Amino acid sequence: MNSSFSHLDGQGNVTMVDVGGKQATERVAIAEAVVELRPATLELLLKVALPKGDVLTCAKIGGIMAAKRVGELIPLCHPLSLTYADIRFEVSETPPRIRIEAETRTVGNTGVEMEAIVAAQTAAAVIYDMCKAVQRDIIISRVRLLHKRGGKSGEFNAPDMEE
């Protein structure tokens, strides 16, 4: 079996990567997701006038909660002790959308990219859930890693995207 796959052993069995020999360093990751809404939905959201209440506060809490549980959600992902998790929102009225930025940090021997990505996706899903009573065709897009720092592979910064 090809042993160049990090999650397969020499016999082709699925295995968790052993990160015990890696140096513990500060690890940081930032991911984004974009939620596209109709103008009327965004207006209700900003006025905290949607039937389910304060959307952005719930989305922030949901994203942070998800970041803390990635080891339970993603197969073979290491459970991490996060030192920091945050969700930030950039609201735009034209076009009507919410850009979510999720940041995660730890000091350890494996990265926090998955924690940031899952946090951004979950915050977007919470926004969808809380707005679906007034709009079902909400679009969640552009989920991606923006930045990562720490570890052997060093720093990564995603290129800017066309709007």
Side-chain angles (χ1 to χ4, degrees), residues 105-136:
R105 298 181 204 159
T106 194
V107 175
N109 43 11
T110 191
V112 290
E113 298 95 288
M114 293 310 301
E115 287 71 13
I117 289 169
V118 169
Q121 290 174 317
T122 301
V126 170
I127 292 170
Y128 180 93
D129 180 55
M130 295 190 72
C131 294
K132 71 184 179 197
V134 297
Q135 181 184 348
R136 295 268 181 194

Side-chain angles (χ1 to χ4, degrees), residues 16 29 48 64 81 84 90 104 110 116 118 163:
M16 188 176 204
V48 190
I64 291 169
S81 176
Y84 179 79
E90 182 181 296
T104 52
T110 191
V118 169
E163 292 294 323

Side-chain angles (χ1 to χ4, degrees), residues 1-145:
M1 193 76 203
N2 185 347
S3 63
S4 65
F5 293 108
S6 62
H7 286 82
L8 295 179
D9 67 15
Q11 291 76 46
N13 299 308
V14 174
T15 186
M16 188 176 204
V17 174
D18 182 357
V19 297
K22 294 169 81 176
Q23 182 176 352
T25 61
E26 181 184 42
R27 314 286 182 132
V28 176
I30 300 172
E32 76 173 345
V34 174
V35 180
E36 299 173 41
L37 303 164
R38 288 191 202 129
T41 305
L42 183 61
E43 183 179 344
L44 290 170
L45 182 149
L46 292 173
K47 290 180 178 178
V48 190
L50 285 159
K52 291 189 175 184
D54 186 346
V55 174
L56 296 183
T57 297
C58 287
K60 182 178 184 102
I61 292 168
I64 291 169
M65 289 173 65
K68 294 167 34 173
R69 306 213 42 186
V70 168
E72 298 172 38
L73 301 171
I74 305 294
L76 308 177
C77 196
H78 293 84
L80 299 180
S81 176
L82 295 177
T83 59
Y84 179 79
D86 191 28
I87 305 292
R88 298 179 286 269
F89 302 103
E90 182 181 296
V91 179
S92 168
E93 292 185 25
T94 310
R97 67 180 183 192
I98 301 167
R99 184 180 162 275
I100 301 162
E101 196 172 88
E103 181 174 352
T104 52
R105 298 181 204 159
T106 194
V107 175
N109 43 11
T110 191
V112 290
E113 298 95 288
M114 293 310 301
E115 287 71 13
I117 289 169
V118 169
Q121 290 174 317
T122 301
V126 170
I127 292 170
Y128 180 93
D129 180 55
M130 295 190 72
C131 294
K132 71 184 179 197
V134 297
Q135 181 184 348
R136 295 268 181 194
D137 63 345
I138 296 165
I139 297 171
I140 297 171
S141 65
R142 216 167 84 185
V143 177
R144 67 183 183 134
L145 180 68

